[in-house]
Amino acid sequence: MDTLTFFGLFAVTAMLICYAMEDRSPWWILGFAVACALGSIYGFLQGAWPFGVVEAIWAVVALRRWHRVSN
């Protein structure tokens, strides 16, 4: 497994864990946003720019949700 594949696996695994834990604390929503941003970076680095764009959008949505919930 090369470094880029490991990075992508880490990002997607972090997204899954944070999404599953979102009901426990707003910090998990922030973690999900960060993981989505990492997934977006992975998509662009891999050359799958549509995946990168969608993950960037999810990161923004999650950040807005975190901001709304934490206030």
Side-chain angles (χ1 to χ4, degrees), residues 5-34:
T5 303
F6 180 77
F7 177 71
L9 178 63
F10 172 78
V12 173
T13 302
M15 284 188 327
L16 177 66
I17 292 168
C18 291
Y19 181 76
M21 303 294 275
E22 278 185 347
D23 293 338
R24 296 177 185 226
S25 169
W27 293 106
W28 288 107
I29 298 172
L30 182 60
F32 179 71
V34 170

Side-chain angles (χ1 to χ4, degrees), residues 29-63:
I29 298 172
L30 182 60
F32 179 71
V34 170
C36 287
L38 293 175
S40 176
I41 292 168
Y42 168 72
F44 285 115
L45 289 175
Q46 184 196 33
W49 66 266
F51 180 81
V53 169
V54 170
E55 289 300 322
I57 292 168
W58 270 115
V60 171
V61 169
L63 274 175

